[in-house]
Amino acid sequence: MLVLRGLLSPDEDGGAALDVGGTAILFDLADPPLPDGVDGSWVEVRVAPDTVMVWPYEA
């Protein structure tokens, strides 16, 4: 199990960023959408390692 804990910041394009120790982990979100009021909330994300994909990204 892959576990990430951090501060959640949804964006207007239907995605979100999770700040984990100063590093932004970007997420594409599926249905259902995040509930209102979650911006800046501490969250824990748990996923099976075989369901995670990683792509390089330059800011």
Side-chain angles (χ1 to χ4, degrees), residues 14-51:
L18 184 65
D19 182 335
V20 179
T23 298
I25 309 295
L26 304 177
F27 287 92
D28 287 327
L29 303 176
D31 285 330
L34 292 172
D36 290 337
V38 298
D39 190 14
S41 298
W42 282 95
V43 298
E44 179 175 282
V45 178
R46 294 176 177 226
V47 294
D50 61 344
T51 64

Side-chain angles (χ1 to χ4, degrees), residues 1-4 45-54:
M1 184 69 57
L2 176 65
V3 179
L4 300 168
V45 178
R46 294 176 177 226
V47 294
D50 61 344
T51 64
V52 175
M53 292 183 199
V54 179

